[in-house]
Amino acid sequence: MQLYTFFRSSTSFRLRIALAYKGMSYEARYTSLPKMEHAKPDYLSVNPQGLVPALIDDAGKVFTQSMAMIEYLDDLKPEPALMPKSPEEKWYVRAVSQIIGCEMHPLNNVRVLKYLKTACALDDDKINKEWYPHWVHEGMRGLESFIVSQGRAGTYCLGNQFTMADVCLVPQIYNAKRFNCDLAPYPAAMRIFEACANLDCVKTTEPSTQSDAI
């Protein structure tokens, strides 16, 4: 398999964690977002959306969209599982994942931050010290409340089972820490993050370990 990835991409980080957790090997194809390599014709022929990650299997089939890809990998190699078995627990894991992937991440990804700077004329301080922290805190408040109210968390988001919810949580917290967001108000999420951060599948795939880290 080949994985098109960028070291600082949250969605790429998700796939790296999932693949490492399942012990699935791949060839990394580093795709620089700052250099706009994702917008070049050769990459658009792989993923017309121009987004990373993209996964190409040994038969040449292309898979995109990180959460759909994680569930695909879970079907392809069921153990160790990243999705629970029961319908209700699957709902919960998907709900946590979508709070992060659909409500938090899109507001602070590279495309949005770049647009704020170039089209809306916001300076770096306005973006990094106001926009980014505001939406991180909005999202984290909702996430923390959901996790606590559900009462399903243990070591990880779902008891002692590492799931797609944790895979999505880790990169989001990494990014929030990079932008110096105050995460103390979210003890449940941070406790889970600290447990995840000690796993080999996270330690070996976090951004600073990647060959394209700059």
Side-chain angles (χ1 to χ4, degrees):
M1 289 192 294
Q2 296 178 336
L3 178 68
Y4 286 82
T5 176
F6 177 62
F7 80 105
R8 205 172 268 163
S9 157
S10 297
T11 48
S12 297
F13 191 5
R14 293 174 196 167
L15 261 291
R16 297 195 302 264
I17 294 170
L19 288 161
Y21 183 70
K22 288 185 170 290
M24 301 175 76
S25 60
Y26 61 90
E27 175 191 350
R29 302 292 297 270
Y30 300 110
T31 306
S32 173
L33 301 185
K35 294 178 181 178
M36 298 297 290
E37 290 176 352
H38 59 295
K40 293 182 178 179
D42 57 344
Y43 184 69
L44 292 175
S45 69
V46 174
N47 182 3
Q49 275 192 290
L51 302 173
V52 291
L55 185 70
I56 304 180
D57 70 9
D58 293 338
K61 293 181 181 178
V62 179
F63 299 86
T64 61
Q65 291 297 326
S66 63
M67 288 187 284
M69 294 158 78
I70 290 167
E71 292 209 47
Y72 164 72
L73 293 176
D74 214 47
D75 289 336
L76 195 65
K77 187 178 181 183
E79 296 297 333
L82 282 169
M83 291 297 294
K85 302 300 182 186
S86 81
E88 186 174 322
E89 289 183 339
K90 282 183 180 178
W91 159 78
Y92 169 75
V93 166
R94 288 176 178 139
V96 173
S97 301
Q98 289 178 25
I99 288 171
I100 297 164
C102 301
E103 297 177 22
M104 296 175 67
H105 172 256
L107 287 162
N108 285 328
N109 70 19
V110 171
R111 290 185 299 167
V112 170
L113 300 182
K114 186 176 290 186
Y115 185 83
L116 290 171
K117 187 171 184 177
T118 57
C120 301
L122 295 185
D123 61 27
D124 287 341
D125 276 355
K126 200 78 173 173
I127 294 170
N128 297 338
K129 295 180 180 179
E130 294 186 37
W131 174 279
Y132 197 101
H134 172 79
W135 291 113
V136 165
H137 291 305
E138 282 285 304
M140 289 299 296
R141 275 195 293 269
L143 177 64
E144 181 82 2
S145 297
F146 183 74
I147 290 173
V148 172
S149 66
Q150 282 290 311
R152 299 171 189 263
T155 303
Y156 306 113
C157 289
L158 180 64
N160 295 321
Q161 182 180 356
F162 184 74
T163 67
M164 179 171 70
D166 306 294
V167 172
C168 290
L169 176 67
V170 168
Q172 188 65 46
I173 298 295
Y174 261 87
N175 279 349
K177 288 166 73 73
R178 185 166 69 89
F179 279 83
N180 299 312
C181 296
D182 178 15
L183 298 170
Y186 318 111
M190 292 307 297
R191 176 181 51 77
I192 293 166
F193 169 77
E194 295 298 339
C196 294
N198 286 319
L199 296 174
D200 285 344
C201 64
V202 174
K203 290 192 289 187
T204 60
T205 60
E206 61 98 352
S208 70
T209 68
Q210 301 304 293
S211 296
D212 61 331
I214 52 176

